[in-house]
Amino acid sequence: MPDNENSIIFLAAHSGTGKIAFFQYLNRLKAGDKVKLKYKDKIYNYTINSIWEEEKTGYIHINKTKENQLILTTCSPKNKDKQLIIESILSK
């Protein structure tokens, strides 16, 4: 959780307009953009570090850092066989 040191949170973000879509336009995000996460009535601010696509295999390759990370995943808007991965780091 974000209040633990060196945490990593993965959210299957499901971008779009369907019933399981929690976000819209995740594909429009870019490095440097901000993400806010509310947890236990506290707001945690993250900064997007990198964005990439990977094949849908059931695995996501993440380099764990010594910082708190938030990873958002959704289907690629360009390729049905890939997933979009958005990595962000907790702002100090």
Side-chain angles (χ1 to χ4, degrees):
M1 295 291 102
D3 52 354
N4 293 335
E5 188 173 331
N6 298 324
S7 69
I8 185 165
I9 299 170
F10 289 88
L11 292 178
H14 298 297
S15 180
T17 57
K19 284 195 263 185
I20 63 168
F22 295 103
F23 301 93
Q24 287 186 340
Y25 311 120
L26 286 179
N27 60 311
R28 293 183 185 177
L29 294 173
K30 56 189 178 298
D33 283 350
K34 306 295 181 192
V35 177
K36 291 182 179 185
L37 175 69
K38 185 176 182 180
Y39 176 72
K40 292 186 176 178
D41 293 322
K42 183 175 178 185
I43 302 293
Y44 294 86
N45 295 296
Y46 291 81
T47 301
I48 295 174
N49 188 40
S50 59
I51 300 171
W52 69 95
E53 290 188 354
E54 286 189 14
E55 296 291 327
K56 286 184 182 179
T57 62
Y59 295 95
I60 298 173
H61 301 93
I62 301 295
N63 291 322
K64 179 65 184 120
T65 67
K66 292 188 184 254
E67 301 173 284
N68 291 39
Q69 294 170 275
L70 172 64
I71 310 296
L72 304 175
T73 67
T74 190
C75 296
S76 167
K78 299 175 188 171
N79 186 330
K80 67 180 177 119
D81 297 324
K82 292 195 175 191
Q83 57 190 346
L84 181 68
I85 299 148
I86 302 162
E87 176 195 29
S88 57
I89 303 294
L90 184 65
S91 302
K92 305 260 179 196

